[in-house]
Coordinates of all heavy atoms in Angstrom, one line a residue:
D1478 N -14.6 -14.8 15.9 CA -15.5 -15.9 15.7 C -15.6 -16.8 16.9 O -16.7 -17.2 17.2 CB -15.0 -16.8 14.5 CG -15.1 -16.1 13.2 OD1 -15.9 -15.2 13.0 OD2 -14.3 -16.5 12.3
S1479 N -14.5 -17.0 17.6 CA -14.6 -17.8 18.8 C -15.3 -17.1 19.9 O -16.0 -17.7 20.7 CB -13.2 -18.2 19.3 OG -12.5 -17.1 19.6
L1480 N -15.3 -15.8 19.9 CA -16.0 -15.0 20.9 C -17.5 -15.2 20.7 O -18.3 -15.3 21.6 CB -15.7 -13.5 20.8 CG -14.3 -13.2 21.3 CD1 -14.0 -11.7 21.2 CD2 -14.1 -13.6 22.8
E1481 N -18.0 -15.2 19.4 CA -19.4 -15.3 19.1 C -19.9 -16.7 19.5 O -21.0 -16.9 19.9 CB -19.6 -15.0 17.7 CG -19.3 -13.6 17.3 CD -19.4 -13.4 15.8 OE1 -19.8 -14.3 15.0 OE2 -19.1 -12.2 15.3
A1482 N -19.0 -17.7 19.4 CA -19.4 -19.0 19.7 C -19.5 -19.3 21.2 O -20.0 -20.2 21.7 CB -18.4 -20.0 19.1
T1483 N -18.8 -18.4 22.0 CA -18.8 -18.6 23.5 C -20.2 -18.3 24.0 O -20.9 -17.4 23.7 CB -17.8 -17.6 24.1 OG1 -16.6 -17.7 23.5 CG2 -17.7 -17.8 25.6
H1484 N -20.6 -19.2 24.9 CA -21.9 -19.1 25.6 C -21.9 -18.0 26.6 O -21.0 -17.9 27.4 CB -22.3 -20.4 26.2 CG -23.5 -20.4 27.0 ND1 -24.8 -20.2 26.4 CD2 -23.8 -20.4 28.3 CE1 -25.7 -20.2 27.3 NE2 -25.1 -20.3 28.5
R1485 N -22.8 -17.1 26.5 CA -22.9 -16.0 27.4 C -24.0 -16.2 28.4 O -25.0 -16.7 28.1 CB -23.3 -14.7 26.6 CG -22.3 -14.3 25.5 CD -21.2 -13.7 26.2 NE -20.2 -13.3 25.1 CZ -19.0 -13.1 25.3 NH1 -18.4 -13.3 26.5 NH2 -18.2 -12.7 24.3
L1486 N -23.6 -15.9 29.7 CA -24.6 -16.1 30.7 C -25.4 -14.9 30.8 O -24.9 -13.8 30.8 CB -23.8 -16.3 32.1 CG -23.0 -17.6 32.2 CD1 -22.2 -17.6 33.5 CD2 -23.9 -18.8 32.1
P1487 N -26.7 -15.1 31.0 CA -27.6 -13.9 31.1 C -27.4 -13.2 32.4 O -27.1 -13.8 33.5 CB -29.0 -14.5 31.0 CG -28.9 -15.9 31.5 CD -27.5 -16.3 31.1
V1488 N -27.5 -11.9 32.4 CA -27.4 -11.1 33.6 C -28.8 -11.0 34.2 O -29.6 -10.4 33.6 CB -26.8 -9.7 33.3 CG1 -26.7 -8.9 34.6 CG2 -25.4 -9.8 32.7
I1489 N -28.9 -11.5 35.4 CA -30.2 -11.5 36.1 C -30.1 -10.7 37.3 O -29.2 -11.0 38.2 CB -30.7 -13.0 36.4 CG1 -30.7 -13.8 35.2 CG2 -32.0 -13.0 37.2 CD1 -30.9 -15.3 35.4
P1490 N -30.9 -9.6 37.4 CA -30.8 -8.8 38.6 C -31.2 -9.6 39.9 O -32.1 -10.5 39.7 CB -31.7 -7.6 38.4 CG -32.6 -8.1 37.3 CD -31.9 -9.2 36.5
P1491 N -30.6 -9.4 41.0 CA -31.0 -10.1 42.2 C -32.4 -9.9 42.6 O -32.9 -8.7 42.4 CB -30.0 -9.6 43.3 CG -29.5 -8.3 42.8 CD -29.6 -8.4 41.3
S1492 N -33.1 -10.9 43.0 CA -34.5 -10.8 43.5 C -34.4 -10.1 44.8 O -33.6 -10.5 45.7 CB -35.2 -12.1 43.5 OG -34.5 -13.0 44.4
N1493 N -35.3 -9.2 45.1 CA -35.4 -8.5 46.3 C -36.7 -8.8 47.0 O -37.7 -8.3 46.7 CB -35.2 -7.0 46.1 CG -35.0 -6.2 47.4 OD1 -35.0 -6.8 48.4 ND2 -34.7 -4.9 47.2
Q1494 N -36.6 -9.8 48.0 CA -37.8 -10.2 48.7 C -37.7 -9.6 50.1 O -37.0 -10.1 51.0 CB -37.9 -11.7 48.8 CG -38.0 -12.3 47.4 CD -38.0 -13.8 47.4 OE1 -37.6 -14.4 48.4 NE2 -38.3 -14.4 46.3
G1495 N -38.3 -8.5 50.3 CA -38.3 -7.9 51.7 C -37.0 -7.3 52.0 O -36.6 -7.2 53.2
G1496 N -36.2 -7.0 51.0 CA -34.9 -6.3 51.3 C -33.8 -7.2 51.6 O -32.7 -6.8 51.9
T1497 N -34.0 -8.6 51.6 CA -33.0 -9.5 52.0 C -32.8 -10.5 50.8 O -33.7 -10.8 50.1 CB -33.3 -10.3 53.2 OG1 -34.5 -11.1 53.0 CG2 -33.5 -9.4 54.4
I1498 N -31.5 -11.0 50.7 CA -31.2 -11.9 49.7 C -30.8 -13.2 50.4 O -30.0 -13.2 51.3 CB -30.1 -11.4 48.8 CG1 -30.4 -10.2 48.1 CG2 -29.6 -12.5 47.8 CD1 -29.3 -9.6 47.3
S1499 N -31.4 -14.3 50.0 CA -31.1 -15.6 50.7 C -29.7 -16.0 50.4 O -29.1 -15.7 49.4 CB -32.1 -16.6 50.3 OG -31.9 -17.0 48.9
R1500 N -29.2 -16.8 51.3 CA -27.8 -17.4 51.1 C -27.7 -18.2 49.8 O -26.7 -18.1 49.1 CB -27.4 -18.2 52.3 CG -26.7 -17.4 53.3 CD -25.5 -18.2 53.9 NE -25.1 -17.6 55.1 CZ -24.2 -16.6 55.0 NH1 -23.6 -16.2 53.9 NH2 -23.8 -16.0 56.1
G1501 N -28.7 -19.0 49.6 CA -28.7 -19.8 48.4 C -28.7 -19.0 47.1 O -28.0 -19.3 46.2
S1502 N -29.4 -17.9 47.1 CA -29.5 -17.0 46.0 C -28.1 -16.3 45.8 O -27.7 -16.1 44.7 CB -30.6 -15.9 46.2 OG -30.6 -15.0 45.2
Q1503 N -27.5 -15.9 47.0 CA -26.2 -15.2 46.9 C -25.2 -16.2 46.4 O -24.4 -15.8 45.5 CB -25.8 -14.8 48.3 CG -25.9 -13.3 48.6 CD -25.4 -13.0 50.0 OE1 -25.3 -13.8 50.8 NE2 -25.1 -11.7 50.1
S1504 N -25.2 -17.4 46.8 CA -24.3 -18.4 46.4 C -24.4 -18.7 44.9 O -23.5 -18.8 44.1 CB -24.5 -19.7 47.2 OG -23.6 -20.7 46.6
S1505 N -25.7 -18.7 44.4 CA -25.9 -18.9 43.0 C -25.4 -17.8 42.2 O -24.8 -17.9 41.1 CB -27.5 -19.1 42.8 OG -27.8 -19.1 41.4
E1506 N -25.6 -16.5 42.7 CA -25.1 -15.4 42.0 C -23.6 -15.3 41.9 O -23.0 -15.0 40.9 CB -25.7 -14.1 42.6 CG -27.1 -13.8 42.4 CD -27.6 -12.6 43.1 OE1 -26.8 -11.7 43.5 OE2 -28.9 -12.5 43.3
V1507 N -23.0 -15.7 43.0 CA -21.5 -15.8 43.0 C -21.0 -16.8 42.1 O -20.0 -16.6 41.3 CB -21.0 -16.1 44.5 CG1 -19.5 -16.4 44.5 CG2 -21.3 -14.9 45.4
D1508 N -21.7 -18.0 42.0 CA -21.3 -19.0 41.1 C -21.5 -18.5 39.6 O -20.6 -18.7 38.8 CB -22.2 -20.3 41.2 CG -21.8 -21.1 42.5 OD1 -20.7 -20.8 43.0 OD2 -22.6 -21.9 42.9
D1509 N -22.6 -17.8 39.4 CA -22.8 -17.2 38.0 C -21.7 -16.2 37.7 O -21.2 -16.2 36.6 CB -24.2 -16.5 37.9 CG -25.3 -17.5 37.9 OD1 -25.1 -18.7 37.7 OD2 -26.5 -17.1 38.1
L1510 N -21.3 -15.4 38.6 CA -20.3 -14.4 38.4 C -18.9 -15.1 38.2 O -18.2 -14.7 37.3 CB -20.2 -13.4 39.6 CG -21.3 -12.4 39.7 CD1 -21.1 -11.7 41.0 CD2 -21.3 -11.5 38.6
R1511 N -18.7 -16.2 38.9 CA -17.4 -16.9 38.7 C -17.4 -17.6 37.3 O -16.4 -17.5 36.6 CB -17.3 -18.0 39.7 CG -16.8 -17.5 41.1 CD -16.6 -18.6 42.0 NE -16.1 -18.0 43.3 CZ -16.4 -18.5 44.5 NH1 -17.1 -19.6 44.6 NH2 -15.9 -17.9 45.6
K1512 N -18.6 -18.1 36.9 CA -18.6 -18.7 35.5 C -18.4 -17.6 34.4 O -17.7 -17.8 33.5 CB -20.0 -19.3 35.3 CG -20.2 -20.6 36.1 CD -21.6 -21.2 35.9 CE -21.8 -22.4 36.8 NZ -23.1 -22.9 36.8
A1513 N -19.0 -16.5 34.7 CA -18.9 -15.3 33.7 C -17.4 -14.9 33.7 O -16.9 -14.6 32.6 CB -19.8 -14.2 34.1
L1514 N -16.8 -14.8 34.8 CA -15.4 -14.4 34.9 C -14.5 -15.5 34.2 O -13.6 -15.1 33.4 CB -14.9 -14.3 36.3 CG -13.5 -13.9 36.5 CD1 -13.1 -12.6 35.9 CD2 -13.1 -13.9 38.0
A1515 N -14.8 -16.7 34.3 CA -14.0 -17.8 33.7 C -14.2 -17.7 32.2 O -13.3 -17.8 31.4 CB -14.5 -19.2 34.2
A1516 N -15.4 -17.4 31.7 CA -15.7 -17.3 30.3 C -15.0 -16.0 29.7 O -14.4 -16.1 28.7 CB -17.2 -17.1 30.0
T1517 N -15.0 -15.0 30.5 CA -14.3 -13.7 30.1 C -12.8 -14.0 30.0 O -12.1 -13.5 29.1 CB -14.6 -12.6 31.0 OG1 -16.0 -12.4 31.0 CG2 -13.9 -11.3 30.6
S1518 N -12.3 -14.7 31.0 CA -10.8 -15.0 31.0 C -10.5 -15.8 29.7 O -9.5 -15.6 29.1 CB -10.4 -15.8 32.2 OG -10.6 -15.0 33.3
G1519 N -11.4 -16.8 29.4 CA -11.2 -17.6 28.2 C -11.2 -16.7 26.9 O -10.4 -16.9 26.0
D1520 N -12.1 -15.8 26.9 CA -12.2 -14.8 25.8 C -10.9 -14.0 25.6 O -10.4 -13.8 24.6 CB -13.4 -13.9 25.9 CG -14.7 -14.6 25.8 OD1 -14.7 -15.7 25.3 OD2 -15.7 -14.0 26.2
V1521 N -10.4 -13.6 26.8 CA -9.1 -12.7 26.7 C -8.0 -13.6 26.2 O -7.2 -13.1 25.4 CB -8.8 -12.2 28.1 CG1 -7.4 -11.6 28.2 CG2 -9.9 -11.1 28.5
T1522 N -7.9 -14.9 26.6 CA -6.9 -15.8 26.1 C -7.0 -16.0 24.7 O -6.0 -15.9 24.0 CB -7.0 -17.1 26.9 OG1 -6.8 -16.9 28.3 CG2 -5.9 -18.1 26.4
V1523 N -8.2 -16.2 24.2 CA -8.4 -16.4 22.7 C -8.0 -15.1 22.0 O -7.3 -15.2 20.9 CB -9.9 -16.7 22.4 CG1 -10.2 -16.6 20.9 CG2 -10.2 -18.1 22.9
L1524 N -8.4 -13.9 22.5 CA -8.0 -12.7 21.9 C -6.5 -12.5 21.8 O -5.9 -12.1 20.8 CB -8.6 -11.5 22.6 CG -10.1 -11.3 22.3 CD1 -10.7 -10.2 23.2 CD2 -10.4 -11.0 20.9
A1525 N -5.8 -12.9 22.9 CA -4.4 -12.7 23.0 C -3.7 -13.6 22.0 O -2.7 -13.2 21.3 CB -3.9 -13.0 24.4
E1526 N -4.2 -14.8 21.9 CA -3.6 -15.8 20.9 C -3.9 -15.3 19.5 O -3.0 -15.4 18.6 CB -4.2 -17.2 21.1 CG -3.8 -17.8 22.4 CD -4.5 -19.1 22.7 OE1 -5.5 -19.4 22.0 OE2 -4.1 -19.8 23.7
S1527 N -5.0 -14.7 19.2 CA -5.4 -14.2 17.9 C -4.5 -13.0 17.5 O -4.0 -12.9 16.4 CB -6.8 -13.8 17.8 OG -7.7 -14.9 17.9
L1528 N -4.3 -12.2 18.5 CA -3.4 -11.0 18.3 C -2.0 -11.4 18.0 O -1.4 -10.9 17.1 CB -3.5 -10.1 19.5 CG -2.6 -8.9 19.5 CD1 -2.9 -8.0 18.3 CD2 -2.6 -8.1 20.8
A1529 N -1.5 -12.4 18.7 CA -0.1 -12.9 18.5 C 0.0 -13.5 17.1 O 1.0 -13.2 16.4 CB 0.2 -14.0 19.5
A1530 N -1.1 -14.2 16.6 CA -1.0 -14.8 15.3 C -1.0 -13.7 14.2 O -0.3 -13.7 13.2 CB -2.2 -15.7 15.1
V1531 N -1.8 -12.7 14.4 CA -1.9 -11.5 13.5 C -0.6 -10.8 13.4 O -0.1 -10.4 12.4 CB -3.0 -10.6 13.9 CG1 -2.9 -9.2 13.1 CG2 -4.4 -11.2 13.6
Q1532 N 0.1 -10.6 14.6 CA 1.4 -10.0 14.6 C 2.4 -10.8 13.9 O 3.2 -10.2 13.2 CB 1.8 -9.7 16.1 CG 1.1 -8.6 16.8 CD 1.4 -8.5 18.3 OE1 1.7 -9.4 18.9 NE2 1.3 -7.2 18.8
R1533 N 2.4 -12.1 14.1 CA 3.4 -12.9 13.4 C 3.2 -12.8 11.9 O 4.1 -12.7 11.1 CB 3.3 -14.4 13.8 CG 3.9 -14.7 15.2 CD 4.0 -16.2 15.4 NE 2.6 -16.8 15.4 CZ 1.8 -16.9 16.4 NH1 2.1 -16.4 17.6 NH2 0.7 -17.6 16.3
E1534 N 1.9 -12.9 11.5 CA 1.6 -12.8 10.0 C 2.0 -11.4 9.5 O 2.6 -11.3 8.4 CB 0.1 -12.9 9.8 CG -0.3 -12.9 8.4 CD -1.8 -13.1 8.2 OE1 -2.4 -13.8 9.0 OE2 -2.4 -12.5 7.2
H1535 N 1.8 -10.3 10.2 CA 2.2 -9.0 9.8 C 3.7 -8.9 9.7 O 4.2 -8.4 8.7 CB 1.6 -8.0 10.9 CG 2.0 -6.6 10.6 ND1 3.1 -5.9 11.1 CD2 1.4 -5.7 9.7 CE1 3.1 -4.7 10.6 NE2 2.1 -4.5 9.8
E1536 N 4.4 -9.4 10.7 CA 5.9 -9.3 10.6 C 6.4 -10.1 9.4 O 7.3 -9.7 8.7 CB 6.5 -9.8 11.9 CG 6.3 -8.9 13.1 CD 6.6 -9.5 14.4 OE1 7.1 -10.7 14.4 OE2 6.5 -8.9 15.4
S1537 N 5.8 -11.3 9.2 CA 6.2 -12.1 8.0 C 6.0 -11.4 6.7 O 6.8 -11.3 5.8 CB 5.5 -13.4 8.0 OG 5.7 -14.1 6.9
T1538 N 4.8 -10.7 6.6 CA 4.4 -10.0 5.4 C 5.3 -8.8 5.2 O 5.8 -8.6 4.0 CB 3.0 -9.6 5.5 OG1 2.1 -10.7 5.6 CG2 2.5 -8.8 4.2
I1539 N 5.6 -8.1 6.2 CA 6.5 -6.9 6.1 C 7.9 -7.4 5.7 O 8.5 -6.8 4.8 CB 6.5 -6.1 7.5 CG1 5.2 -5.5 7.7 CG2 7.7 -5.1 7.4 CD1 4.7 -4.5 6.7
G1540 N 8.4 -8.5 6.3 CA 9.7 -9.0 5.9 C 9.7 -9.4 4.4 O 10.7 -9.1 3.7
D1541 N 8.7 -10.1 4.0 CA 8.6 -10.5 2.5 C 8.6 -9.2 1.6 O 9.2 -9.2 0.6 CB 7.4 -11.3 2.3 CG 7.5 -12.7 3.0 OD1 8.6 -13.1 3.4 OD2 6.5 -13.4 3.0
L1542 N 7.8 -8.3 2.0 CA 7.7 -7.0 1.2 C 9.0 -6.3 1.2 O 9.4 -5.8 0.1 CB 6.6 -6.1 1.8 CG 6.3 -4.8 1.1 CD1 5.9 -5.1 -0.3 CD2 5.3 -4.0 1.8
T1543 N 9.7 -6.2 2.3 CA 11.0 -5.5 2.4 C 12.0 -6.2 1.4 O 12.7 -5.6 0.7 CB 11.5 -5.5 3.8 OG1 10.6 -4.8 4.6 CG2 12.8 -4.8 3.9
E1544 N 12.0 -7.5 1.5 CA 12.9 -8.3 0.6 C 12.6 -8.1 -0.9 O 13.5 -7.9 -1.7 CB 12.8 -9.8 1.0 CG 13.8 -10.6 0.2 CD 13.7 -12.1 0.6 OE1 13.2 -12.4 1.7 OE2 14.2 -12.9 -0.2
C1545 N 11.3 -8.1 -1.2 CA 10.9 -7.9 -2.6 C 11.3 -6.5 -3.1 O 11.8 -6.3 -4.2 CB 9.4 -8.1 -2.6 SG 8.7 -8.0 -4.3
V1546 N 11.1 -5.5 -2.2 CA 11.5 -4.1 -2.6 C 13.0 -4.0 -2.8 O 13.4 -3.4 -3.8 CB 10.9 -3.1 -1.6 CG1 11.6 -1.7 -1.8 CG2 9.4 -3.0 -1.6
A1547 N 13.7 -4.6 -1.9 CA 15.2 -4.6 -2.0 C 15.7 -5.2 -3.3 O 16.6 -4.7 -4.0 CB 15.8 -5.2 -0.8
K1548 N 15.1 -6.4 -3.7 CA 15.5 -7.0 -4.9 C 15.1 -6.2 -6.1 O 15.9 -6.1 -7.1 CB 14.8 -8.4 -5.0 CG 15.5 -9.4 -4.1 CD 14.8 -10.8 -4.2 CE 15.4 -11.8 -3.2 NZ 14.7 -13.1 -3.3
A1549 N 13.9 -5.6 -6.1 CA 13.5 -4.7 -7.2 C 14.5 -3.5 -7.4 O 14.9 -3.2 -8.5 CB 12.1 -4.3 -7.0
A1550 N 14.9 -2.9 -6.3 CA 15.8 -1.8 -6.3 C 17.1 -2.3 -6.9 O 17.8 -1.5 -7.7 CB 16.0 -1.2 -4.9
E1551 N 17.6 -3.4 -6.5 CA 18.9 -3.9 -7.0 C 18.8 -4.1 -8.5 O 19.8 -3.8 -9.2 CB 19.2 -5.2 -6.2 CG 20.5 -5.9 -6.7 CD 20.8 -7.2 -6.0 OE1 19.9 -7.7 -5.2 OE2 21.9 -7.8 -6.3
R1552 N 17.8 -4.8 -9.0 CA 17.6 -5.0 -10.4 C 17.6 -3.7 -11.2 O 18.2 -3.5 -12.2 CB 16.4 -5.8 -10.7 CG 16.6 -7.3 -10.3 CD 15.4 -8.1 -10.8 NE 14.1 -7.7 -10.3 CZ 13.5 -8.2 -9.2 NH1 14.1 -9.2 -8.5 NH2 12.3 -7.8 -8.8
S1553 N 16.9 -2.7 -10.6 CA 16.8 -1.4 -11.3 C 18.1 -0.7 -11.4 O 18.5 -0.2 -12.4 CB 15.8 -0.5 -10.5 OG 15.7 0.7 -11.1
I1554 N 18.9 -0.8 -10.3 CA 20.2 -0.2 -10.3 C 21.1 -0.9 -11.3 O 21.9 -0.2 -12.0 CB 20.8 -0.2 -8.8 CG1 20.1 0.7 -7.9 CG2 22.3 0.1 -8.8 CD1 20.4 0.6 -6.4
Q1555 N 21.0 -2.2 -11.4 CA 21.9 -2.9 -12.3 C 21.5 -2.5 -13.8 O 22.4 -2.3 -14.6 CB 21.6 -4.4 -12.2 CG 22.4 -5.0 -11.0 CD 22.1 -6.5 -10.8 OE1 21.0 -7.0 -11.3 NE2 23.0 -7.2 -10.1
R1556 N 20.2 -2.3 -14.1 CA 19.8 -1.9 -15.4 C 20.4 -0.5 -15.7 O 20.8 -0.3 -16.8 CB 18.3 -2.0 -15.5 CG 17.7 -3.3 -15.7 CD 16.3 -3.3 -16.2 NE 15.4 -2.6 -15.2 CZ 14.8 -3.2 -14.2 NH1 14.9 -4.5 -14.0 NH2 14.0 -2.4 -13.4
V1557 N 20.3 0.4 -14.8 CA 20.8 1.7 -15.0 C 22.3 1.7 -15.2 O 22.8 2.4 -16.1 CB 20.4 2.7 -13.8 CG1 21.1 4.0 -13.9 CG2 18.9 2.9 -13.8
Q1558 N 23.0 0.9 -14.4 CA 24.5 0.8 -14.6 C 24.8 0.3 -15.9 O 25.7 0.8 -16.6 CB 25.1 -0.1 -13.5 CG 25.1 0.5 -12.1 CD 25.7 -0.4 -11.0 OE1 25.5 -1.6 -11.2 NE2 26.3 0.1 -10.0
E1559 N 24.1 -0.8 -16.4 CA 24.4 -1.3 -17.7 C 24.1 -0.3 -18.8 O 24.9 -0.2 -19.7 CB 23.6 -2.6 -17.9 CG 24.0 -3.8 -17.0 CD 23.0 -4.9 -17.0 OE1 21.9 -4.8 -17.7 OE2 23.3 -5.9 -16.3
S1560 N 23.0 0.4 -18.7 CA 22.7 1.4 -19.7 C 23.7 2.5 -19.7 O 24.1 2.9 -20.8 CB 21.3 2.0 -19.3 OG 21.0 3.0 -20.2
L1561 N 24.1 3.0 -18.5 CA 25.1 4.0 -18.5 C 26.5 3.6 -19.0 O 27.2 4.3 -19.8 CB 25.3 4.6 -17.1 CG 24.1 5.4 -16.6 CD1 24.4 5.8 -15.1 CD2 23.9 6.7 -17.4
A1562 N 26.9 2.3 -18.7 CA 28.1 1.7 -19.2 C 28.1 1.7 -20.8 O 29.1 2.0 -21.4 CB 28.4 0.4 -18.6
E1563 N 26.9 1.2 -21.3 CA 26.8 1.1 -22.7 C 26.9 2.5 -23.4 O 27.6 2.7 -24.4 CB 25.4 0.5 -23.0 CG 25.3 -0.2 -24.4 CD 24.0 -0.9 -24.4 OE1 23.8 -2.0 -23.7 OE2 23.2 -0.5 -25.3
E1564 N 26.2 3.5 -22.8 CA 26.2 4.8 -23.3 C 27.6 5.4 -23.3 O 28.1 6.0 -24.2 CB 25.3 5.7 -22.6 CG 25.1 7.1 -23.1 CD 24.1 7.9 -22.3 OE1 23.2 7.3 -21.7 OE2 24.1 9.1 -22.4
L1565 N 28.3 5.2 -22.2 CA 29.7 5.7 -22.0 C 30.6 5.0 -23.0 O 31.5 5.7 -23.7 CB 30.2 5.5 -20.6 CG 31.6 6.0 -20.3 CD1 31.6 7.5 -20.4 CD2 31.9 5.6 -18.8
A1566 N 30.5 3.7 -23.3 CA 31.3 3.0 -24.2 C 31.1 3.6 -25.6 O 32.0 3.8 -26.4 CB 31.0 1.5 -24.2
T1567 N 29.8 3.8 -26.0 CA 29.5 4.4 -27.3 C 30.2 5.8 -27.4 O 30.8 6.1 -28.5 CB 28.0 4.5 -27.5 OG1 27.4 3.2 -27.3 CG2 27.6 5.1 -28.8
K1568 N 30.1 6.6 -26.4 CA 30.7 8.0 -26.5 C 32.2 7.9 -26.6 O 32.8 8.7 -27.3 CB 30.2 8.8 -25.3 CG 28.8 9.2 -25.4 CD 28.4 10.2 -24.3 CE 26.9 10.5 -24.5 NZ 26.5 11.5 -23.6
C1569 N 32.8 6.9 -25.9 CA 34.3 6.8 -25.9 C 34.7 6.3 -27.3 O 35.7 6.8 -27.9 CB 34.7 5.7 -24.9 SG 34.8 6.4 -23.2
Q1570 N 33.9 5.4 -27.9 CA 34.2 5.0 -29.3 C 34.1 6.2 -30.3 O 35.0 6.4 -31.1 CB 33.3 3.9 -29.8 CG 33.5 2.6 -29.2 CD 32.5 1.5 -29.6 OE1 31.5 1.9 -30.2 NE2 32.7 0.3 -29.2
F1571 N 33.1 7.0 -30.1 CA 32.9 8.2 -30.9 C 34.1 9.2 -30.8 O 34.7 9.7 -31.7 CB 31.6 8.9 -30.6 CG 31.4 10.2 -31.3 CD1 31.0 10.2 -32.7 CD2 31.5 11.4 -30.7 CE1 30.8 11.3 -33.4 CE2 31.3 12.6 -31.4 CZ 30.9 12.6 -32.7
L1572 N 34.5 9.4 -29.5 CA 35.7 10.3 -29.3 C 37.0 9.7 -29.8 O 37.8 10.4 -30.4 CB 35.9 10.5 -27.7 CG 35.0 11.6 -27.1 CD1 35.2 11.5 -25.6 CD2 35.3 12.9 -27.6
D1573 N 37.2 8.4 -29.7 CA 38.4 7.7 -30.3 C 38.4 8.0 -31.8 O 39.4 8.3 -32.4 CB 38.3 6.2 -30.0 CG 38.7 6.0 -28.5 OD1 39.3 6.9 -27.9 OD2 38.5 4.8 -28.1
K1574 N 37.3 7.7 -32.5 CA 37.2 7.9 -33.9 C 37.5 9.4 -34.3 O 38.2 9.7 -35.3 CB 35.9 7.4 -34.5 CG 35.7 6.0 -34.5 CD 34.4 5.5 -35.0 CE 34.2 4.0 -34.9 NZ 32.9 3.6 -35.3
S1575 N 36.9 10.3 -33.5 CA 37.1 11.7 -33.8 C 38.5 12.1 -33.6 O 39.1 12.8 -34.4 CB 36.2 12.5 -32.8 OG 36.4 13.9 -33.0
M1576 N 39.2 11.6 -32.5 CA 40.6 11.9 -32.3 C 41.5 11.3 -33.5 O 42.5 11.9 -33.9 CB 41.1 11.3 -31.0 CG 40.5 12.0 -29.8 SD 41.0 13.7 -29.7 CE 42.5 13.6 -29.0
E1577 N 41.2 10.1 -33.9 CA 41.9 9.4 -34.9 C 41.8 10.2 -36.3 O 42.8 10.4 -37.0 CB 41.4 8.0 -35.2 CG 41.8 7.0 -34.1 CD 41.2 5.6 -34.3 OE1 40.5 5.4 -35.3 OE2 41.4 4.8 -33.4
S1578 N 40.6 10.7 -36.5 CA 40.5 11.5 -37.8 C 41.2 12.8 -37.7 O 41.8 13.3 -38.7 CB 39.0 11.7 -38.1 OG 38.4 12.5 -37.1
R1579 N 41.3 13.4 -36.5 CA 42.0 14.7 -36.4 C 43.5 14.5 -36.5 O 44.2 15.3 -37.1 CB 41.7 15.3 -35.0 CG 40.4 16.0 -35.0 CD 40.2 16.8 -33.8 NE 38.9 17.4 -33.8 CZ 38.4 18.2 -32.9 NH1 39.2 18.4 -31.8 NH2 37.3 18.7 -32.9
C1580 N 44.0 13.4 -35.9 CA 45.4 13.0 -36.0 C 45.8 12.7 -37.4 O 47.0 13.0 -37.8 CB 45.8 11.9 -35.0 SG 45.7 12.4 -33.3
A1581 N 45.0 12.1 -38.1 CA 45.3 11.6 -39.5 C 45.3 12.9 -40.4 O 46.0 12.9 -41.5 CB 44.3 10.6 -40.0
A1582 N 44.6 13.9 -40.1 CA 44.5 15.1 -41.0 C 45.6 16.0 -40.8 O 46.6 16.2 -40.4 CB 43.2 15.8 -40.7

């Protein structure tokens, strides 16, 4: 957006009067080129700052996403552990009852 707002200098070909360019015309062209260079340098600075901001946002988003995935995995592992512990306890109770009935007989 800031690049679009930047004023662009028109490129005007040098006038050729008899094959020579006057000193005043040369000086004006050099000034125009310097202004264009300054504007381009400003554009590069704006682009560099924008890129740095995007990189910071990207790193922050990736960090948040990584943390979210890690927490989800941890909760999932806990649920599986609880489910397996419950299932194992039920099977142990069944075995205990089965052993008791065999011993009683």
Side-chain angles (χ1 to χ4, degrees):
D1478 292 336
S1479 60
L1480 289 178
E1481 293 172 5
T1483 305
H1484 176 69
R1485 300 283 181 204
L1486 296 174
V1488 178
I1489 303 171
S1492 60
N1493 193 352
Q1494 298 172 348
T1497 62
I1498 299 175
S1499 68
R1500 269 223 193 271
S1502 175
Q1503 256 184 341
S1504 176
S1505 173
E1506 288 177 19
V1507 168
D1508 287 342
D1509 288 346
L1510 288 173
R1511 285 186 178 146
K1512 289 176 186 174
L1514 179 61
T1517 302
S1518 294
D1520 292 346
V1521 169
T1522 300
V1523 168
L1524 285 172
E1526 290 169 353
S1527 295
L1528 176 61
V1531 167
Q1532 285 175 329
R1533 284 190 302 273
E1534 182 179 329
H1535 180 263
E1536 290 170 1
S1537 173
T1538 301
I1539 293 297
D1541 292 346
L1542 181 60
T1543 302
E1544 184 179 341
C1545 184
V1546 168
K1548 286 180 180 179
E1551 180 182 1
R1552 287 190 299 268
S1553 178
I1554 290 169
Q1555 284 177 337
R1556 282 193 303 270
V1557 169
Q1558 284 177 334
E1559 290 168 1
S1560 175
L1561 289 175
E1563 205 174 290
E1564 187 178 338
L1565 183 60
T1567 302
K1568 288 184 179 185
C1569 283
Q1570 286 175 353
F1571 177 75
L1572 278 174
D1573 284 345
K1574 287 180 183 179
S1575 177
M1576 293 295 281
E1577 287 174 3
S1578 65
R1579 283 189 181 178
C1580 288

